[in-house]
Structures are given as C-alpha cells and as structure tokens.
Amino acid sequence: MFKNKVLITGGAGFIGSHIVDVLSLKKYQIVVLDNLSSGSKLNLANCKNLNFYKLSLECDDLNTVFENERPDYVIHLAAQTSVNYSLSYPEYDANINILSSIKLLELCKKYNIKKFITASSAAVYGNPSYLPIDEEHQKEPMSPYGLSKLTMEKYIQLSNVPYIIFRFSNAYGPRQKSSKESGVIAIFDKAMKKNEQICIYGDGNQIRDFVYVEDIAQICAMALEVDVKNEIFNFSTNKGVKLNDLFNTMSKIYEYKKQPLYLPERVGDIKDSILANDKIKKIFNFELKQTELEVGLNKLKLYDEK
C-alpha cells in the first residue's frame, strides 16, 4: 500500500535522487520532474514506483503534470547552484531560482499542496559576523546566487503555501557532478581518482561545514512526516573543516601524493561557514545522527561516477 504522492523537481539530480531512494523505501508514490541538464535517469534506477517527466520549470507547462498526478507534497530542488555562474549570468540565475519557483508555488496553491519543501543555501548569510551561523544571523548575500535563494525564501513565506525551507551546508556524496562548478569534495574526489592536479583557491584556511547527502535525504523525508510547517532550518553538522585539512584527509584515504596548487581566491566566495543546527534538533525533536566526514569520504571513494 503506497503512502501519499510526492513531486520532486530536480529529482534525477544529486540530492534529489537520494531523496527518491529514501521515499521509495518508505513506499511513497513519487513523481520526478527534471530536465536532465545535470541529473541523470541512471540515478533513478533503484526506484520502481515512479513517474518521470522530462520538463523544464522555466519554459514548460507544468499544469498538466499537477492535473494528472495530483501530488500531496512538493520537494523543490531544481535550481541554478553555482556562485560563479550567477556572477556571469545573473539574469539566468534569477529566472531559474526566483521566477521558476514562483511559477511552481502558484501551482501548489492551485492544487492545495499539503507542504512545500525546498533547498535554500548557506549563501544567503554572506560572510558571517559570528560562528556557528544560526537562522537569525543577518542576511547579506555576496553573489546573485545567494540573493536569488534569499528572494525565493521571501516569496515562499508570502505564498500562503505551507512550507519548510532548508538551508543546507556544503553537501557531498555519491552522484555529485565533478565539474569546476560543483562542491569541493566532488572536485577533489574526481582529481584524486584520476591522479590529476588539485587547485585550491585562496590559502586553504577557509572553513566549511560538510554534510553527507544521505543525511539530507533522510531529513527531507522526515520533513514530510513531522507536524511542522512554515519554518526555516539550517541543516549541517555544526563542525568546521579547513580546506587544507580536508585535502590532507582525502589524500590519505585516496592515497594521493600530489601537492595542491594554490590560486587567488574567487570573487563571491565566503571565507568561513559553519551552520548551527540547534533549531532543527529542538523543533523536529529527534537526535541528529549524522555521517562522520571520514565515513562519508570512504563511501564516496568506493563510488564510480556514471
């Protein structure tokens, strides 16, 4: 017997496909909407109870999908996710992250969605005035990407659609694209497996908080089931790691012998970011069991990118 139906935008992508895996095991009916610009149907191979639509939020008619499928919940992950790309193409970034989200919200209102769950970003905060960063920290995004995510949040709050907004720290794990625009762990992973030169922008002392993708998938599934709505949550490990330390840890795991090449820091990059997770632990009322970094890195090393 299947549970409620969940529509996932970007469901064939990195985070989305892991959420599909979790919800499939929990016997939800799943609808995936993805244009496959960065996702892959191979990521959905483990899920049988799924309807797939190859569509783009920004230019295709989505009303037919909602009319045919009548989802109970929407998890919105389709987005432009690169800080650097947003600096070069701010109009495209705004079209994907703001206007397409508004379009989706209007359909959620029309079809009385029970809850709208989406991924925002730590980039909404900008450079922190204190660490760890809690949800009340000032919002001073340093890039069009951070601004578009913050603007999306505001539209959601004004929409009258029940919502949960997650501000994830740096996600990593299997299925993450290893391009120049992806997360640093994915870039290191690809380079170390191929014994290629690794570049670090800045001095390598910048701090990041890395959260394993399967933990993100579990918290998104939990968000469907808890009696919580109209809240914004950080989701993180609340642990900071310097990029130099990350490089050294991965070098040991991957048996990588090269030294990194240090390049000038990039415009729009935040120096240090650690997100506090006290609020989500309190309101979700559960013990946050998360994957330790070395455990996640060892899992990633064993994964072969398709």
Side-chain angles (χ1 to χ4, degrees):
M1 185 70 180
F2 287 120
K3 294 184 180 179
N4 289 325
K5 185 177 287 188
V6 184
L7 186 151
I8 306 174
T9 73
F14 167 45
I15 293 175
S17 63
H18 285 278
I19 295 174
V20 167
D21 287 344
V22 172
L23 296 185
S24 179
L25 290 173
K26 288 177 172 287
K27 302 300 182 183
Y28 281 90
Q29 297 179 78
I30 301 168
V31 180
V32 167
L33 192 158
D34 201 302
N35 65 6
L36 300 181
S37 61
S38 59
S40 170
K41 290 188 78 173
L42 291 173
N43 292 338
L44 306 174
N46 296 330
C47 181
K48 306 304 179 188
N49 50 309
L50 179 149
N51 289 339
F52 179 84
Y53 293 83
K54 186 181 178 183
L55 294 172
S56 296
L57 290 183
E58 67 272 23
C59 57
D60 288 322
D61 180 12
L62 309 182
N63 190 77
T64 302
V65 177
F66 277 78
E67 183 66 30
N68 290 344
E69 298 291 349
R70 300 283 175 159
D72 299 287
Y73 299 96
V74 169
I75 299 177
H76 176 39
L77 302 169
Q80 193 296 113
T81 60
S82 167
V83 168
N84 288 336
Y85 195 89
S86 77
L87 291 165
S88 300
Y89 303 99
E91 183 177 355
Y92 178 81
D93 178 83
N95 187 34
I96 300 296
N97 291 350
I98 302 172
L99 297 181
S100 295
S101 298
I102 295 171
K103 178 180 177 180
L104 189 62
L105 281 167
E106 290 301 303
L107 287 167
C108 289
K109 283 195 284 188
K110 179 179 178 181
Y111 288 92
N112 297 312
I113 295 300
K114 293 177 182 178
K115 196 182 292 183
F116 181 87
I117 297 165
T118 193
S120 185
S121 170
V124 303
Y125 296 114
N127 267 327
S129 57
Y130 57 85
L131 293 174
I133 305 166
D134 59 31
E135 290 84 355
E136 301 307 313
H137 190 283
Q138 75 267 15
K139 318 300 184 294
E140 296 290 344
M142 298 171 59
S143 64
Y145 167 70
L147 179 59
S148 69
K149 285 294 193 178
L150 183 59
T151 304
M152 179 195 73
E153 290 185 7
K154 298 298 184 184
Y155 272 102
I156 293 168
Q157 290 175 298
L158 293 171
S159 69
N160 291 320
V161 175
Y163 67 86
I164 289 179
I165 297 169
F166 287 116
R167 295 171 183 155
F168 298 127
S169 58
N170 295 71
Y172 75 98
R175 304 177 193 159
Q176 188 173 28
K177 290 291 185 180
S178 50
S179 69
K180 289 183 180 179
E181 304 300 338
S182 63
V184 63
I185 289 180
I187 294 170
F188 285 6
D189 169 70
K190 179 183 179 183
M192 288 183 180
K193 284 176 176 175
K194 294 187 175 183
N195 198 34
E196 297 174 344
Q197 180 63 58
I198 284 177
C199 299
I200 293 178
Y201 295 91
D203 61 10
N205 289 319
Q206 55 266 54
I207 296 171
R208 293 292 181 270
D209 176 358
F210 297 103
V211 62
Y212 192 58
V213 65
E214 290 178 7
D215 298 336
I216 290 175
Q218 291 290 345
I219 203 68
C220 287
M222 189 176 291
L224 298 175
E225 298 170 352
V226 296
D227 186 20
V228 176
K229 63 181 180 180
N230 302 339
E231 294 281 0
I232 298 176
F233 297 104
N234 291 338
F235 187 68
S236 66
T237 64
N238 199 17
K239 297 177 182 177
V241 179
K242 290 183 179 180
L243 293 194
N244 285 330
D245 293 336
L246 172 69
F247 174 84
N248 291 333
T249 298
M250 291 187 69
S251 292
K252 290 179 182 177
I253 292 171
Y254 286 70
E255 299 180 343
Y256 179 78
K257 304 302 183 185
K258 296 180 185 291
Q259 292 301 310
L261 175 65
Y262 289 92
L263 299 175
E265 62 184 57
R266 297 179 295 190
V267 176
D269 277 356
I270 296 167
K271 178 65 176 174
D272 298 325
S273 181
I274 305 171
L275 298 186
N277 57 23
D278 303 280
K279 179 181 176 181
I280 194 168
K281 287 195 289 187
K282 179 180 178 181
I283 295 182
F284 271 42
N285 191 27
F286 74 109
E287 183 61 33
L288 204 59
K289 295 179 181 178
Q290 291 180 275
T291 305
E292 292 293 334
L293 181 61
E294 288 197 26
V295 174
L297 291 174
N298 275 287
K299 288 184 178 182
L300 179 60
K301 182 190 175 186
L302 296 174
Y303 176 77
D304 291 323
E305 187 178 0
K306 302 293 189 294

